[in-house]
């Protein structure tokens, strides 16, 4: 309380950006997060190019669960200071919180390049690759961590979660009605009950020349894997044909490849 009173007196004499920022830090230390946000926001209004102000506000947003605001503040921070490794790291985490996994991976790679001996951004990236089921990338990142810190328990743990056998991929490009949603495609796939299907990924949507009005071209990657052994092409082909048949029946789709 005494510190807060002192800061109020300081503001009366000097309402500068730095004093507003220090007031925000004081409010933060006292647990007055709303007041801290207001003071830091005012500091940024007065000095919008100050990295410390922008980064501190981003961390406050992150701590209070406001990941979208944290993301916006961190994007601003790295624009002001593109070699600020910690800001890139936290930006990667904020992207992941908002389910923007590819942007998160990009930001974390940037953090790695700026802080090459720190395992944190590498491990965070490994977890995003894991969520995307990009197993080779997970393995590579975990092994990179272990070269820095051989006793890193989380890297060893994530290696232990990797599939024992390789998977295989089949792509489908198809024409569907423009109103067809991604969820509708997934529902159709689930109806086929495809054995060993690990994941389905939409990787391209096209409307335009060569595609009739009212329709769109979509492309999906189907990843198959067995926990019991390496799948043979004949096994995968038989299952995949059932998926294609179901898509044709449910969505009146034209398979392009």
């Amino acid at each position: 309380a005494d510190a807060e009173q002192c800061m109020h007196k300081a503001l009366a004499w000097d309402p500068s950006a730095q004093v507003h920022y220090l007031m925000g830090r004081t409010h933060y230390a006292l647990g007055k997060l709303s007041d801290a946000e207001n003071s830091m926001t005012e500091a940024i209004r007065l000095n919008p190019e100050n990295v410390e102000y922008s980064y501190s506000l981003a961390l406050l947003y992150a701590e209070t669960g406001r990941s979208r605001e944290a993301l916006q503040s961190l994007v601003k921070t790295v624009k002001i200071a593109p070699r600020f490794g910690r800001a890139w790291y936290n930006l990667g985490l904020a992207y992941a919180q908002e389910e923007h996994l590819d942007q998160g991976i990009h930001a974390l790679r940037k953090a790695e390049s700026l802080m090459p001996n720190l395992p944190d951004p590498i491990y965070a990236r490994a977890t995003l690759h894991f969520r995307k089921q990009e197993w080779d990338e997970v393995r590579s990142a975990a092994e990179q961590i272990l070269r820095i810190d051989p006793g890193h328990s989380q890297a060893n743990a994530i290696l232990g979660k990797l599939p024992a056998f390789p998977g295989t991929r089949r792509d489908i490009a198809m024409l569907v009605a423009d109103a067809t949603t991604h969820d509708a495609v997934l529902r159709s796939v689930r109806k086929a009950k495809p054995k060993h299907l690990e994941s389905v990924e939409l990787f391209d949507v096209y409307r335009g020349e060569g595609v009739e009005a009212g329709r769109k071209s979509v492309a999906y990657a189907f990843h198959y894997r067995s926990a019991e052994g390496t799948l043979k092409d004949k096994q995968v082909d038989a299952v995949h044909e059932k998926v294609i048949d179901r898509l044709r029946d449910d969505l009146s789709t034209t398979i392009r490849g």
Side-chain angles (χ1 to χ4, degrees), residues 20-21 23-41 44 52-71 73-74 90:
H20 276 287
Y21 171 69
M23 172 65 89
R25 300 286 296 183
T26 301
H27 285 314
Y28 180 84
L30 294 172
K32 297 181 177 181
L33 300 186
S34 180
D35 290 338
E37 178 187 346
N38 291 336
S39 294
M40 290 182 183
T41 300
I44 292 170
E52 185 179 11
Y53 302 169
S54 179
Y55 183 63
S56 295
L57 182 59
L59 295 183
L60 188 152
Y61 285 142
E63 183 173 328
T64 54
R66 296 163 64 184
S67 58
R68 186 164 299 176
E69 289 93 336
L71 179 59
S73 290
L74 287 163
N90 282 286

Side-chain angles (χ1 to χ4, degrees), residues 172-245:
I172 294 177
M174 55 188 177
L175 292 173
V176 296
D178 199 38
T180 301
T181 64
H182 178 58
D183 285 342
V185 173
L186 295 183
R187 283 196 299 272
S188 180
V189 170
R190 284 194 290 269
K191 284 184 187 178
K193 299 180 180 178
K195 190 175 182 181
H196 304 308
L197 180 63
E198 185 176 65
S199 66
V200 180
E201 173 191 359
L202 173 64
F203 67 88
D204 186 60
V205 179
Y206 173 75
R207 300 175 180 86
E209 187 177 351
V211 176
E212 63 184 282
R215 291 173 75 79
K216 62 186 174 183
S217 174
V218 294
Y220 281 85
F222 291 74
H223 300 274
Y224 295 90
R225 188 189 307 273
S226 171
E228 299 170 356
T230 302
L231 292 170
K232 296 179 180 179
D233 285 342
K234 287 183 179 180
Q235 292 175 279
V236 177
D237 291 343
V239 172
H240 197 59
E241 281 300 320
K242 291 181 180 180
V243 171
I244 291 173
D245 289 343

